[in-house]
Amino acid sequence: MLENRQNKTLPCPACGQPTPQLYLYSRNGCDILQCQECGLGRTETAGFEPSSYYTRDYFSGGHGDGYADYLGAERVLRREFARVVDFIRGYCAHGKLLELGCAYGFFLQEAKRFYQVSGIEIAADVAEHARRNDLNVLNGVADENNLRKLGAMDVIVLLDVIEHLPQPRETLSLCARFLNPGGIIVLTTGDFGSPLAKLSGAKWRLMTPPQHLWFFTHASMQRLAGGLGLHLEAADHPWKIVPLSLILFQARRMLGLKAGRKAAAGAIGLPVNLFDAMRIVLRKPMQP
């Protein structure tokens, strides 16, 4: 059985072609494989439906691998998102900005001081909350129809989103098509090649299949970008201000404990860096 798993050959989104896939371990009933060419990890799962999983419950403690109290942590999250906006302005100071997976729109609220903003969010009631706060947010996924409605962008942002996408290469390719020449894509995701990820193995804090479908390394991100005609302009492992409620929520999940009270912890944020999460800037070349 193990031998058959080790000898799998599957299409790799980063490499853009079928590659040998090594079976690493099983987690939450899912097999975790790794591309032997670029290091991209993948979840083998069947029957996972994102639209039924990513609902209001995902943002309010209903899923052990989601958020403890996203709305209650608004103040902390917006402090962090303001820092992200400052970072993005170092690469593109103004223009049209789109966030994929924008949740309640807290990042967009910070970004609209400098950009003309829009968003796409899969959870219908969450997207409606953003619209009630005067944000241009479409409900659904980042498909051609929705991107065409919004038009060409100067900045496209995916904060902890690409690892959730069933087809990350196709989505990123579509983003590149709707990006103005010289525009940028900014994304954050776990670093599967980090020392902590390697040391933790199946117990890594971001090893939460089937919610997380992909586990990127720097090499796999470089290969994915290059295959789509994008230049990987910057990559780092940034510090983040994280709501204490989320830290406690994830700690309890990892220890197998029941969720505790979250209201008071939502207003407290702590600087955290385990150096196992990447921030990537991809730039679309200027036309000749």
Side-chain angles (χ1 to χ4, degrees), residues 104-201:
Y104 290 94
F106 298 160
F107 171 82
L108 295 178
Q109 293 287 6
E110 297 300 320
K112 73 179 184 180
R113 295 178 295 157
F114 308 102
Y115 303 93
Q116 180 183 339
V117 303
S118 9
I120 300 176
E121 171 54 45
I122 193 171
D125 48 358
V126 174
E128 178 59 30
H129 180 279
R131 286 193 292 271
R132 287 198 301 268
N133 285 280
D134 299 321
L135 292 172
N136 180 28
V137 172
L138 302 181
N139 175 222
V141 297
D143 57 16
E144 180 148 7
N145 182 54
N146 278 332
L147 287 175
R148 194 174 298 281
K149 289 178 183 177
L150 298 172
M153 295 288 157
D154 300 294
V155 181
I156 300 179
V157 180
L158 299 87
L159 301 178
D160 301 328
V161 165
I162 194 169
E163 63 269 23
H164 300 262
L165 300 176
Q167 297 181 309
R169 185 181 185 90
E170 287 75 5
T171 300
L172 211 60
S173 175
L174 194 59
C175 288
R177 282 178 49 202
F178 282 87
L179 196 64
N180 287 324
I184 60 171
I185 298 173
V186 179
L187 60 89
T188 58
T189 190
D191 184 355
F192 198 41
S194 66
L196 183 59
K198 292 179 178 179
L199 181 65
S200 302

Side-chain angles (χ1 to χ4, degrees), residues 2 65 69 148 162 244 254 281:
L2 182 57
D65 49 11
D69 183 13
R148 194 174 298 281
I162 194 169
L244 179 58
M254 295 172 69
V281 179

Side-chain angles (χ1 to χ4, degrees), residues 40-283:
L40 174 66
R42 70 192 298 149
T43 295
E44 286 282 271
T45 184
F48 178 68
E49 179 49 56
S51 61
S52 62
Y53 190 86
Y54 299 115
T55 63
R56 181 185 297 175
D57 285 348
Y58 179 77
F59 295 95
S60 58
H63 295 290
D65 49 11
Y67 292 90
D69 183 13
Y70 199 94
L71 279 173
E74 177 176 0
R75 188 170 66 181
V76 176
L77 291 169
R78 288 185 62 163
R79 281 174 56 203
E80 169 59 22
F81 290 148
R83 296 171 70 246
V84 176
V85 171
D86 287 343
F87 171 82
I88 293 173
R89 294 189 68 223
Y91 295 88
C92 180
H94 52 79
K96 294 182 66 178
L97 180 148
L98 168 66
E99 184 186 11
L100 306 187
C102 65
Y104 290 94
F106 298 160
F107 171 82
L108 295 178
Q109 293 287 6
E110 297 300 320
K112 73 179 184 180
R113 295 178 295 157
F114 308 102
Y115 303 93
Q116 180 183 339
V117 303
S118 9
I120 300 176
E121 171 54 45
I122 193 171
D125 48 358
V126 174
E128 178 59 30
H129 180 279
R131 286 193 292 271
R132 287 198 301 268
N133 285 280
D134 299 321
L135 292 172
N136 180 28
V137 172
L138 302 181
N139 175 222
V141 297
D143 57 16
E144 180 148 7
N145 182 54
N146 278 332
L147 287 175
R148 194 174 298 281
K149 289 178 183 177
L150 298 172
M153 295 288 157
D154 300 294
V155 181
I156 300 179
V157 180
L158 299 87
L159 301 178
D160 301 328
V161 165
I162 194 169
E163 63 269 23
H164 300 262
L165 300 176
Q167 297 181 309
R169 185 181 185 90
E170 287 75 5
T171 300
L172 211 60
S173 175
L174 194 59
C175 288
R177 282 178 49 202
F178 282 87
L179 196 64
N180 287 324
I184 60 171
I185 298 173
V186 179
L187 60 89
T188 58
T189 190
D191 184 355
F192 198 41
S194 66
L196 183 59
K198 292 179 178 179
L199 181 65
S200 302
K203 295 184 177 180
W204 184 36
R205 67 184 184 92
L206 299 176
M207 183 53 61
T208 57
Q211 176 221 28
H212 287 171
L213 298 170
W214 306 98
F215 307 95
F216 285 90
T217 62
H218 184 276
S220 62
M221 190 60 68
Q222 179 87 56
R223 188 166 294 195
L224 174 59
L228 298 177
L230 299 168
H231 171 63
L232 199 161
E233 187 159 316
D236 67 349
H237 297 84
W239 286 82
K240 292 179 65 175
I241 301 172
V242 181
L244 179 58
S245 59
L246 180 58
I247 295 173
L248 296 175
F249 189 69
Q250 291 187 347
R252 291 189 180 100
R253 168 179 58 80
M254 295 172 69
L255 294 172
L257 303 176
K258 292 183 179 180
R261 299 180 65 180
K262 59 193 178 185
I268 303 171
L270 299 177
V272 174
N273 194 348
L274 300 177
F275 298 94
D276 65 343
M278 300 184 289
R279 178 172 58 188
I280 303 290
V281 179
L282 307 176
R283 190 176 295 276

